[in-house]
PDB file of all heavy atoms in Angstrom:
ATOM      1  N   LEU B 573     -27.920  -5.201  30.192  1.00 86.00           N
ATOM      2  CA  LEU B 573     -27.169  -4.040  29.841  1.00 86.00           C
ATOM      3  C   LEU B 573     -28.070  -2.802  29.819  1.00 86.00           C
ATOM      4  O   LEU B 573     -27.571  -1.627  29.984  1.00 86.00           O
ATOM      5  CB  LEU B 573     -26.457  -4.225  28.494  1.00 86.00           C
ATOM      6  CG  LEU B 573     -25.211  -5.014  28.549  1.00 86.00           C
ATOM      7  CD1 LEU B 573     -24.566  -5.161  27.204  1.00 86.00           C
ATOM      8  CD2 LEU B 573     -24.203  -4.446  29.610  1.00 86.00           C
ATOM      9  N   GLY B 574     -29.329  -3.023  29.535  1.00 82.00           N
ATOM     10  CA  GLY B 574     -30.328  -1.875  29.502  1.00 82.00           C
ATOM     11  C   GLY B 574     -29.872  -0.676  28.709  1.00 82.00           C
ATOM     12  O   GLY B 574     -29.596  -0.835  27.609  1.00 82.00           O
ATOM     13  N   GLU B 575     -29.927   0.435  29.368  1.00 72.00           N
ATOM     14  CA  GLU B 575     -29.756   1.666  28.623  1.00 72.00           C
ATOM     15  C   GLU B 575     -28.237   1.820  28.121  1.00 72.00           C
ATOM     16  O   GLU B 575     -27.952   2.808  27.349  1.00 72.00           O
ATOM     17  CB  GLU B 575     -30.048   2.876  29.512  1.00 72.00           C
ATOM     18  CG  GLU B 575     -31.482   2.987  29.596  1.00 72.00           C
ATOM     19  CD  GLU B 575     -31.955   4.122  30.494  1.00 72.00           C
ATOM     20  OE1 GLU B 575     -31.001   4.749  31.113  1.00 72.00           O
ATOM     21  OE2 GLU B 575     -33.102   4.424  30.727  1.00 72.00           O
ATOM     22  N   ARG B 576     -27.356   1.043  28.618  1.00 72.00           N
ATOM     23  CA  ARG B 576     -26.023   1.169  28.193  1.00 72.00           C
ATOM     24  C   ARG B 576     -25.777   0.670  26.712  1.00 72.00           C
ATOM     25  O   ARG B 576     -24.760   0.885  26.067  1.00 72.00           O
ATOM     26  CB  ARG B 576     -25.067   0.242  29.039  1.00 72.00           C
ATOM     27  CG  ARG B 576     -24.792   0.893  30.416  1.00 72.00           C
ATOM     28  CD  ARG B 576     -24.176   0.042  31.343  1.00 72.00           C
ATOM     29  NE  ARG B 576     -25.084  -0.966  31.786  1.00 72.00           N
ATOM     30  CZ  ARG B 576     -24.688  -1.941  32.661  1.00 72.00           C
ATOM     31  NH1 ARG B 576     -23.463  -2.090  33.068  1.00 72.00           N
ATOM     32  NH2 ARG B 576     -25.538  -2.825  32.976  1.00 72.00           N
ATOM     33  N   LEU B 577     -26.857  -0.004  26.145  1.00 69.00           N
ATOM     34  CA  LEU B 577     -26.715  -0.499  24.870  1.00 69.00           C
ATOM     35  C   LEU B 577     -26.975   0.551  23.671  1.00 69.00           C
ATOM     36  O   LEU B 577     -27.910   1.326  23.895  1.00 69.00           O
ATOM     37  CB  LEU B 577     -27.759  -1.654  24.702  1.00 69.00           C
ATOM     38  CG  LEU B 577     -27.299  -2.948  25.091  1.00 69.00           C
ATOM     39  CD1 LEU B 577     -28.432  -3.924  24.800  1.00 69.00           C
ATOM     40  CD2 LEU B 577     -26.050  -3.318  24.475  1.00 69.00           C
ATOM     41  N   ASP B 578     -26.278   0.405  22.629  1.00 59.00           N
ATOM     42  CA  ASP B 578     -26.488   1.095  21.436  1.00 59.00           C
ATOM     43  C   ASP B 578     -27.850   0.627  20.980  1.00 59.00           C
ATOM     44  O   ASP B 578     -28.024  -0.567  20.883  1.00 59.00           O
ATOM     45  CB  ASP B 578     -25.368   0.660  20.505  1.00 59.00           C
ATOM     46  CG  ASP B 578     -25.501   1.154  19.043  1.00 59.00           C
ATOM     47  OD1 ASP B 578     -26.685   1.603  18.797  1.00 59.00           O
ATOM     48  OD2 ASP B 578     -24.613   1.086  18.271  1.00 59.00           O
ATOM     49  N   PRO B 579     -28.797   1.558  20.612  1.00 53.00           N
ATOM     50  CA  PRO B 579     -30.162   1.129  20.229  1.00 53.00           C
ATOM     51  C   PRO B 579     -30.061   0.157  19.011  1.00 53.00           C
ATOM     52  O   PRO B 579     -31.084  -0.616  18.857  1.00 53.00           O
ATOM     53  CB  PRO B 579     -30.867   2.320  19.873  1.00 53.00           C
ATOM     54  CG  PRO B 579     -29.862   3.548  20.064  1.00 53.00           C
ATOM     55  CD  PRO B 579     -28.608   3.034  20.538  1.00 53.00           C
ATOM     56  N   ALA B 580     -29.062   0.152  18.214  1.00 47.00           N
ATOM     57  CA  ALA B 580     -28.968  -0.716  17.142  1.00 47.00           C
ATOM     58  C   ALA B 580     -29.191  -2.170  17.469  1.00 47.00           C
ATOM     59  O   ALA B 580     -29.722  -2.991  16.695  1.00 47.00           O
ATOM     60  CB  ALA B 580     -27.783  -0.556  16.344  1.00 47.00           C
ATOM     61  N   ILE B 581     -28.657  -2.570  18.701  1.00 46.00           N
ATOM     62  CA  ILE B 581     -28.686  -3.936  19.094  1.00 46.00           C
ATOM     63  C   ILE B 581     -30.187  -4.374  19.265  1.00 46.00           C
ATOM     64  O   ILE B 581     -30.471  -5.526  19.026  1.00 46.00           O
ATOM     65  CB  ILE B 581     -27.949  -4.070  20.489  1.00 46.00           C
ATOM     66  CG1 ILE B 581     -26.691  -3.362  20.434  1.00 46.00           C
ATOM     67  CG2 ILE B 581     -28.055  -5.530  20.878  1.00 46.00           C
ATOM     68  CD1 ILE B 581     -25.490  -4.289  20.104  1.00 46.00           C
ATOM     69  N   LEU B 582     -31.008  -3.386  19.562  1.00 46.00           N
ATOM     70  CA  LEU B 582     -32.359  -3.666  19.885  1.00 46.00           C
ATOM     71  C   LEU B 582     -33.213  -3.897  18.593  1.00 46.00           C
ATOM     72  O   LEU B 582     -34.314  -4.327  18.610  1.00 46.00           O
ATOM     73  CB  LEU B 582     -33.012  -2.616  20.701  1.00 46.00           C
ATOM     74  CG  LEU B 582     -32.224  -2.456  22.076  1.00 46.00           C
ATOM     75  CD1 LEU B 582     -32.779  -1.269  22.851  1.00 46.00           C
ATOM     76  CD2 LEU B 582     -32.326  -3.701  22.920  1.00 46.00           C
ATOM     77  N   ASP B 583     -32.629  -3.486  17.485  1.00 45.00           N
ATOM     78  CA  ASP B 583     -33.255  -3.657  16.208  1.00 45.00           C
ATOM     79  C   ASP B 583     -33.435  -5.221  16.040  1.00 45.00           C
ATOM     80  O   ASP B 583     -32.398  -5.952  15.840  1.00 45.00           O
ATOM     81  CB  ASP B 583     -32.391  -3.105  15.141  1.00 45.00           C
ATOM     82  CG  ASP B 583     -32.963  -3.131  13.784  1.00 45.00           C
ATOM     83  OD1 ASP B 583     -34.192  -3.631  13.721  1.00 45.00           O
ATOM     84  OD2 ASP B 583     -32.237  -2.911  12.771  1.00 45.00           O
ATOM     85  N   ALA B 584     -34.666  -5.646  15.936  1.00 37.00           N
ATOM     86  CA  ALA B 584     -34.967  -7.098  16.103  1.00 37.00           C
ATOM     87  C   ALA B 584     -34.037  -8.037  15.155  1.00 37.00           C
ATOM     88  O   ALA B 584     -33.573  -8.966  15.666  1.00 37.00           O
ATOM     89  CB  ALA B 584     -36.380  -7.328  15.874  1.00 37.00           C
TER      90      ALA B 584
END
Side-chain angles (χ1 to χ4, degrees):
L573 284 181
E575 285 177 359
R576 285 169 286 180
L577 274 184
D578 173 344
I581 309 267
L582 304 173
D583 182 9

